[in-house]
Amino acid sequence: MKTQKYHTLTKSEMQVMNLLWEMPLGASIHQILERYPDPKPAYTTVSTFLKILHCKQFVSIGKGQGKQQIFFPAVTRQEYTRRVMNEVKDNFFDGSTSSLVRFFVQEEELSPEEIRELLDLIEKD
């Protein structure tokens, strides 16, 4: 079974996607810019990122008023996270979920409370 390779997002693309994920009904470039923290990027910069995200199939484009375009997230945050985590699991842990979890438990120095929460999640399944 062949695994499909997905695009990953750059830091700047991720920033645009995070804003779009907060606006699941879509947004114009101006609406996206309004949500950016200062200093805000140029309109053309955001427009370029949206075109790249559209080419990578993370964003779909609809028609707004007049010539205005509305941008929609074509991938949910959860779906993207799942893709990235599966790639990390496959590339760094030979596809082993337990190795991935073990790594984070050891590296993140989880508190006993956090470990109990994980165990509770495991027991629910």
Side-chain angles (χ1 to χ4, degrees):
M1 183 168 154
K2 186 176 179 179
T3 307
Q4 183 176 353
K5 173 100 169 111
Y6 293 101
H7 294 283
T8 54
L9 298 172
T10 66
K11 184 177 179 179
S12 297
E13 292 166 351
M14 187 70 178
Q15 190 172 19
V16 174
M17 286 305 300
N18 280 328
L19 294 171
L20 270 180
W21 282 323
E22 294 172 5
M23 301 180 278
L25 300 178
S28 67
I29 295 174
H30 288 293
Q31 291 169 322
I32 295 168
L33 273 168
E34 287 173 6
R35 292 187 176 229
Y36 258 93
D38 288 327
K40 296 180 187 306
Y43 179 97
T44 53
T45 301
V46 175
S47 176
T48 299
F49 284 132
L50 288 164
K51 287 176 187 168
I52 292 167
L53 289 165
H54 180 66
C55 288
K56 289 183 171 184
Q57 299 179 341
F58 283 97
V59 169
S60 59
I61 303 172
K63 206 70 169 113
Q65 293 181 339
K67 294 182 178 181
Q68 185 181 53
Q69 292 181 316
I70 302 296
F71 299 88
F72 302 89
V75 174
T76 65
R77 185 188 315 261
Q78 182 176 5
E79 183 181 355
Y80 179 68
T81 302
R82 185 179 304 113
R83 289 178 186 178
V84 170
M85 292 308 296
N86 280 332
E87 282 194 31
V88 168
K89 181 178 73 171
D90 292 344
N91 292 330
F92 293 98
F93 301 98
D94 293 325
S96 169
T97 302
S98 62
S99 294
L100 172 75
V101 172
R102 189 177 308 108
F103 172 82
F104 281 108
V105 167
Q106 292 169 341
E107 290 296 314
E108 295 298 316
E109 299 176 3
L110 297 178
S111 69
E113 167 90 11
E114 291 170 316
I115 292 171
R116 275 192 294 279
E117 288 175 16
L118 286 172
L119 290 171
D120 289 345
L121 282 172
I122 293 167
E123 289 172 358
K124 286 181 184 177
D125 289 342

